[in-house]
mmCIF file of all heavy atoms in Angstrom:
data_model
loop_
_atom_site.group_PDB
_atom_site.id
_atom_site.type_symbol
_atom_site.label_atom_id
_atom_site.label_comp_id
_atom_site.label_asym_id
_atom_site.label_seq_id
_atom_site.Cartn_x
_atom_site.Cartn_y
_atom_site.Cartn_z
ATOM 1 N N ARG A 29 -9.352 -11.132 0.563
ATOM 2 C CA ARG A 29 -9.295 -10.231 -0.597
ATOM 3 C C ARG A 29 -9.447 -8.769 -0.194
ATOM 4 O O ARG A 29 -9.344 -7.879 -1.033
ATOM 5 C CB ARG A 29 -10.396 -10.590 -1.594
ATOM 6 C CG ARG A 29 -10.189 -11.896 -2.314
ATOM 7 C CD ARG A 29 -11.139 -12.038 -3.481
ATOM 8 N NE ARG A 29 -12.520 -11.803 -3.133
ATOM 9 C CZ ARG A 29 -13.388 -12.741 -2.748
ATOM 10 N NH1 ARG A 29 -12.989 -13.987 -2.642
ATOM 11 N NH2 ARG A 29 -14.628 -12.437 -2.468
ATOM 12 N N LYS A 30 -9.720 -8.510 1.084
ATOM 13 C CA LYS A 30 -9.969 -7.143 1.537
ATOM 14 C C LYS A 30 -8.771 -6.249 1.224
ATOM 15 O O LYS A 30 -7.640 -6.603 1.522
ATOM 16 C CB LYS A 30 -10.227 -7.124 3.033
ATOM 17 C CG LYS A 30 -10.631 -5.757 3.561
ATOM 18 C CD LYS A 30 -10.918 -5.836 5.040
ATOM 19 C CE LYS A 30 -11.491 -4.567 5.578
ATOM 20 N NZ LYS A 30 -10.659 -3.401 5.419
ATOM 21 N N GLY A 31 -9.028 -5.114 0.629
ATOM 22 C CA GLY A 31 -7.970 -4.176 0.325
ATOM 23 C C GLY A 31 -7.324 -4.393 -1.032
ATOM 24 O O GLY A 31 -6.530 -3.584 -1.468
ATOM 25 N N HIS A 32 -7.668 -5.457 -1.715
ATOM 26 C CA HIS A 32 -7.092 -5.729 -3.041
ATOM 27 C C HIS A 32 -7.766 -4.822 -4.062
ATOM 28 O O HIS A 32 -8.993 -4.812 -4.176
ATOM 29 C CB HIS A 32 -7.299 -7.194 -3.416
ATOM 30 C CG HIS A 32 -6.828 -7.522 -4.796
ATOM 31 N ND1 HIS A 32 -5.493 -7.598 -5.122
ATOM 32 C CD2 HIS A 32 -7.505 -7.764 -5.946
ATOM 33 C CE1 HIS A 32 -5.383 -7.888 -6.406
ATOM 34 N NE2 HIS A 32 -6.586 -7.986 -6.924
ATOM 35 N N ARG A 33 -6.987 -4.051 -4.792
ATOM 36 C CA ARG A 33 -7.548 -3.105 -5.746
ATOM 37 C C ARG A 33 -7.766 -3.782 -7.086
ATOM 38 O O ARG A 33 -6.852 -4.358 -7.667
ATOM 39 C CB ARG A 33 -6.603 -1.919 -5.916
ATOM 40 C CG ARG A 33 -7.199 -0.822 -6.787
ATOM 41 C CD ARG A 33 -6.303 0.361 -6.870
ATOM 42 N NE ARG A 33 -6.156 0.958 -5.556
ATOM 43 C CZ ARG A 33 -5.222 1.826 -5.251
ATOM 44 N NH1 ARG A 33 -4.345 2.208 -6.126
ATOM 45 N NH2 ARG A 33 -5.143 2.328 -4.031
ATOM 46 N N SER A 34 -8.990 -3.698 -7.575
ATOM 47 C CA SER A 34 -9.315 -4.314 -8.857
ATOM 48 C C SER A 34 -8.861 -3.413 -10.009
ATOM 49 O O SER A 34 -8.549 -2.240 -9.811
ATOM 50 C CB SER A 34 -10.820 -4.564 -8.955
ATOM 51 O OG SER A 34 -11.515 -3.343 -8.960
ATOM 52 N N LYS A 35 -8.847 -3.979 -11.202
ATOM 53 C CA LYS A 35 -8.429 -3.213 -12.383
ATOM 54 C C LYS A 35 -9.373 -2.045 -12.641
ATOM 55 O O LYS A 35 -8.942 -0.954 -13.004
ATOM 56 C CB LYS A 35 -8.418 -4.124 -13.610
ATOM 57 C CG LYS A 35 -7.222 -5.038 -13.695
ATOM 58 C CD LYS A 35 -7.202 -5.751 -15.018
ATOM 59 C CE LYS A 35 -7.365 -7.230 -14.797
ATOM 60 N NZ LYS A 35 -7.464 -7.990 -16.026
ATOM 61 N N ARG A 36 -10.661 -2.284 -12.428
ATOM 62 C CA ARG A 36 -11.674 -1.265 -12.677
ATOM 63 C C ARG A 36 -11.480 -0.065 -11.736
ATOM 64 O O ARG A 36 -11.495 1.090 -12.170
ATOM 65 C CB ARG A 36 -13.051 -1.870 -12.485
ATOM 66 C CG ARG A 36 -14.199 -0.921 -12.774
ATOM 67 C CD ARG A 36 -15.536 -1.662 -12.723
ATOM 68 N NE ARG A 36 -16.610 -0.770 -13.045
ATOM 69 C CZ ARG A 36 -17.268 -0.040 -12.141
ATOM 70 N NH1 ARG A 36 -16.951 -0.109 -10.875
ATOM 71 N NH2 ARG A 36 -18.252 0.762 -12.516
ATOM 72 N N VAL A 37 -11.280 -0.342 -10.454
ATOM 73 C CA VAL A 37 -11.099 0.730 -9.474
ATOM 74 C C VAL A 37 -9.826 1.513 -9.779
ATOM 75 O O VAL A 37 -9.808 2.745 -9.704
ATOM 76 C CB VAL A 37 -11.060 0.141 -8.046
ATOM 77 C CG1 VAL A 37 -10.642 1.194 -7.030
ATOM 78 C CG2 VAL A 37 -12.406 -0.436 -7.677
ATOM 79 N N LYS A 38 -8.761 0.802 -10.147
ATOM 80 C CA LYS A 38 -7.498 1.460 -10.481
ATOM 81 C C LYS A 38 -7.686 2.393 -11.677
ATOM 82 O O LYS A 38 -7.220 3.535 -11.680
ATOM 83 C CB LYS A 38 -6.417 0.426 -10.790
ATOM 84 C CG LYS A 38 -5.060 1.039 -11.055
ATOM 85 C CD LYS A 38 -4.032 -0.021 -11.363
ATOM 86 C CE LYS A 38 -2.642 0.509 -11.540
ATOM 87 N NZ LYS A 38 -2.484 1.708 -12.310
ATOM 88 N N PHE A 39 -8.391 1.913 -12.692
ATOM 89 C CA PHE A 39 -8.646 2.721 -13.885
ATOM 90 C C PHE A 39 -9.442 3.979 -13.533
ATOM 91 O O PHE A 39 -9.093 5.090 -13.954
ATOM 92 C CB PHE A 39 -9.400 1.886 -14.924
ATOM 93 C CG PHE A 39 -9.830 2.674 -16.114
ATOM 94 C CD1 PHE A 39 -8.899 3.092 -17.048
ATOM 95 C CD2 PHE A 39 -11.163 3.018 -16.296
ATOM 96 C CE1 PHE A 39 -9.287 3.826 -18.162
ATOM 97 C CE2 PHE A 39 -11.558 3.753 -17.401
ATOM 98 C CZ PHE A 39 -10.626 4.153 -18.335
ATOM 99 N N ILE A 40 -10.483 3.815 -12.730
ATOM 100 C CA ILE A 40 -11.334 4.946 -12.349
ATOM 101 C C ILE A 40 -10.526 5.980 -11.565
ATOM 102 O O ILE A 40 -10.602 7.185 -11.822
ATOM 103 C CB ILE A 40 -12.550 4.469 -11.544
ATOM 104 C CG1 ILE A 40 -13.506 3.701 -12.468
ATOM 105 C CG2 ILE A 40 -13.276 5.634 -10.892
ATOM 106 C CD1 ILE A 40 -14.598 2.961 -11.760
ATOM 107 N N ARG A 41 -9.714 5.520 -10.623
ATOM 108 C CA ARG A 41 -8.912 6.449 -9.816
ATOM 109 C C ARG A 41 -7.885 7.173 -10.660
ATOM 110 O O ARG A 41 -7.602 8.355 -10.443
ATOM 111 C CB ARG A 41 -8.235 5.708 -8.668
ATOM 112 C CG ARG A 41 -9.236 5.318 -7.590
ATOM 113 C CD ARG A 41 -8.577 4.704 -6.401
ATOM 114 N NE ARG A 41 -9.600 4.277 -5.446
ATOM 115 C CZ ARG A 41 -9.348 3.556 -4.370
ATOM 116 N NH1 ARG A 41 -8.115 3.176 -4.102
ATOM 117 N NH2 ARG A 41 -10.319 3.216 -3.557
ATOM 118 N N ASP A 42 -7.309 6.462 -11.644
ATOM 119 C CA ASP A 42 -6.344 7.110 -12.536
ATOM 120 C C ASP A 42 -7.018 8.200 -13.366
ATOM 121 O O ASP A 42 -6.449 9.281 -13.559
ATOM 122 C CB ASP A 42 -5.693 6.076 -13.458
ATOM 123 C CG ASP A 42 -4.703 5.182 -12.710
ATOM 124 O OD1 ASP A 42 -4.285 5.561 -11.597
ATOM 125 O OD2 ASP A 42 -4.359 4.117 -13.252
ATOM 126 N N VAL A 43 -8.237 7.926 -13.859
ATOM 127 C CA VAL A 43 -8.966 8.918 -14.654
ATOM 128 C C VAL A 43 -9.303 10.139 -13.801
ATOM 129 O O VAL A 43 -9.124 11.281 -14.233
ATOM 130 C CB VAL A 43 -10.245 8.294 -15.262
ATOM 131 C CG1 VAL A 43 -11.147 9.365 -15.846
ATOM 132 C CG2 VAL A 43 -9.877 7.278 -16.322
ATOM 133 N N VAL A 44 -9.770 9.907 -12.583
ATOM 134 C CA VAL A 44 -10.123 11.018 -11.693
ATOM 135 C C VAL A 44 -8.894 11.862 -11.389
ATOM 136 O O VAL A 44 -8.945 13.097 -11.396
ATOM 137 C CB VAL A 44 -10.772 10.482 -10.389
ATOM 138 C CG1 VAL A 44 -10.887 11.576 -9.352
ATOM 139 C CG2 VAL A 44 -12.135 9.887 -10.690
ATOM 140 N N ARG A 45 -7.751 11.202 -11.144
ATOM 141 C CA ARG A 45 -6.513 11.933 -10.850
ATOM 142 C C ARG A 45 -6.086 12.769 -12.055
ATOM 143 O O ARG A 45 -5.654 13.899 -11.930
ATOM 144 C CB ARG A 45 -5.416 10.938 -10.451
ATOM 145 C CG ARG A 45 -4.012 11.497 -10.258
ATOM 146 C CD ARG A 45 -3.945 12.664 -9.286
ATOM 147 N NE ARG A 45 -4.485 12.381 -7.995
ATOM 148 C CZ ARG A 45 -3.790 12.238 -6.886
ATOM 149 N NH1 ARG A 45 -2.492 12.332 -6.919
ATOM 150 N NH2 ARG A 45 -4.381 12.009 -5.740
ATOM 151 N N GLU A 46 -6.237 12.189 -13.250
ATOM 152 C CA GLU A 46 -5.857 12.891 -14.474
ATOM 153 C C GLU A 46 -6.738 14.114 -14.715
ATOM 154 O O GLU A 46 -6.259 15.169 -15.123
ATOM 155 C CB GLU A 46 -5.961 11.923 -15.656
ATOM 156 C CG GLU A 46 -5.346 12.434 -16.929
ATOM 157 C CD GLU A 46 -5.395 11.390 -18.031
ATOM 158 O OE1 GLU A 46 -5.156 10.206 -17.756
ATOM 159 O OE2 GLU A 46 -5.700 11.789 -19.178
ATOM 160 N N VAL A 47 -8.028 13.974 -14.434
ATOM 161 C CA VAL A 47 -8.972 15.066 -14.681
ATOM 162 C C VAL A 47 -8.857 16.153 -13.618
ATOM 163 O O VAL A 47 -8.758 17.339 -13.938
ATOM 164 C CB VAL A 47 -10.423 14.520 -14.727
ATOM 165 C CG1 VAL A 47 -11.433 15.649 -14.739
ATOM 166 C CG2 VAL A 47 -10.600 13.633 -15.931
ATOM 167 N N SER A 48 -8.830 15.749 -12.341
ATOM 168 C CA SER A 48 -8.888 16.738 -11.268
ATOM 169 C C SER A 48 -7.524 17.234 -10.807
ATOM 170 O O SER A 48 -7.421 18.294 -10.196
ATOM 171 C CB SER A 48 -9.649 16.173 -10.068
ATOM 172 O OG SER A 48 -8.962 15.052 -9.556
ATOM 173 N N GLY A 49 -6.478 16.470 -11.062
ATOM 174 C CA GLY A 49 -5.140 16.888 -10.641
ATOM 175 C C GLY A 49 -4.917 16.647 -9.163
ATOM 176 O O GLY A 49 -5.573 15.815 -8.540
ATOM 177 N N PHE A 50 -3.976 17.391 -8.583
ATOM 178 C CA PHE A 50 -3.619 17.216 -7.176
ATOM 179 C C PHE A 50 -4.305 18.258 -6.316
ATOM 180 O O PHE A 50 -4.548 19.379 -6.737
ATOM 181 C CB PHE A 50 -2.101 17.334 -6.999
ATOM 182 C CG PHE A 50 -1.342 16.248 -7.695
ATOM 183 C CD1 PHE A 50 -0.701 16.499 -8.902
ATOM 184 C CD2 PHE A 50 -1.266 14.981 -7.163
ATOM 185 C CE1 PHE A 50 0.006 15.507 -9.549
ATOM 186 C CE2 PHE A 50 -0.573 13.980 -7.804
ATOM 187 C CZ PHE A 50 0.068 14.237 -8.991
ATOM 188 N N SER A 51 -4.592 17.876 -5.075
ATOM 189 C CA SER A 51 -5.187 18.818 -4.127
ATOM 190 C C SER A 51 -4.097 19.777 -3.633
ATOM 191 O O SER A 51 -2.909 19.493 -3.789
ATOM 192 C CB SER A 51 -5.813 18.058 -2.957
ATOM 193 O OG SER A 51 -4.810 17.395 -2.230
ATOM 194 N N PRO A 52 -4.493 20.889 -3.033
ATOM 195 C CA PRO A 52 -3.495 21.868 -2.591
ATOM 196 C C PRO A 52 -2.452 21.304 -1.621
ATOM 197 O O PRO A 52 -1.263 21.607 -1.742
ATOM 198 C CB PRO A 52 -4.337 22.953 -1.919
ATOM 199 C CG PRO A 52 -5.637 22.867 -2.602
ATOM 200 C CD PRO A 52 -5.844 21.416 -2.913
ATOM 201 N N TYR A 53 -2.879 20.457 -0.676
ATOM 202 C CA TYR A 53 -1.892 19.927 0.266
ATOM 203 C C TYR A 53 -0.943 18.948 -0.426
ATOM 204 O O TYR A 53 0.234 18.853 -0.058
ATOM 205 C CB TYR A 53 -2.572 19.286 1.487
ATOM 206 C CG TYR A 53 -2.924 17.826 1.341
ATOM 207 C CD1 TYR A 53 -2.025 16.850 1.777
ATOM 208 C CD2 TYR A 53 -4.124 17.417 0.784
ATOM 209 C CE1 TYR A 53 -2.326 15.505 1.656
ATOM 210 C CE2 TYR A 53 -4.422 16.090 0.660
ATOM 211 C CZ TYR A 53 -3.531 15.123 1.106
ATOM 212 O OH TYR A 53 -3.826 13.809 0.976
ATOM 213 N N GLU A 54 -1.426 18.251 -1.465
ATOM 214 C CA GLU A 54 -0.553 17.352 -2.223
ATOM 215 C C GLU A 54 0.472 18.165 -3.019
ATOM 216 O O GLU A 54 1.641 17.774 -3.109
ATOM 217 C CB GLU A 54 -1.373 16.469 -3.152
ATOM 218 C CG GLU A 54 -2.160 15.399 -2.433
ATOM 219 C CD GLU A 54 -3.087 14.606 -3.343
ATOM 220 O OE1 GLU A 54 -3.514 15.148 -4.389
ATOM 221 O OE2 GLU A 54 -3.380 13.452 -3.009
ATOM 222 N N ARG A 55 0.041 19.299 -3.566
ATOM 223 C CA ARG A 55 0.976 20.161 -4.295
ATOM 224 C C ARG A 55 2.055 20.708 -3.364
ATOM 225 O O ARG A 55 3.221 20.754 -3.722
ATOM 226 C CB ARG A 55 0.223 21.309 -4.973
ATOM 227 C CG ARG A 55 -0.372 20.884 -6.315
ATOM 228 C CD ARG A 55 -0.950 22.048 -7.080
ATOM 229 N NE ARG A 55 -2.398 21.846 -7.161
ATOM 230 C CZ ARG A 55 -3.313 22.713 -6.755
ATOM 231 N NH1 ARG A 55 -2.962 23.879 -6.273
ATOM 232 N NH2 ARG A 55 -4.586 22.431 -6.858
#
Side-chain angles (χ1 to χ4, degrees):
R29 290 192 309 268
K30 186 178 188 300
H32 176 73
R33 186 176 296 165
S34 65
K35 282 188 244 175
R36 182 173 182 270
V37 171
K38 184 180 184 317
F39 174 73
I40 290 169
R41 287 185 184 172
D42 288 343
V43 168
V44 169
R45 173 54 56 109
E46 191 176 319
V47 170
S48 63
F50 295 102
S51 65
Y53 88 93
E54 288 174 334
R55 277 188 246 124

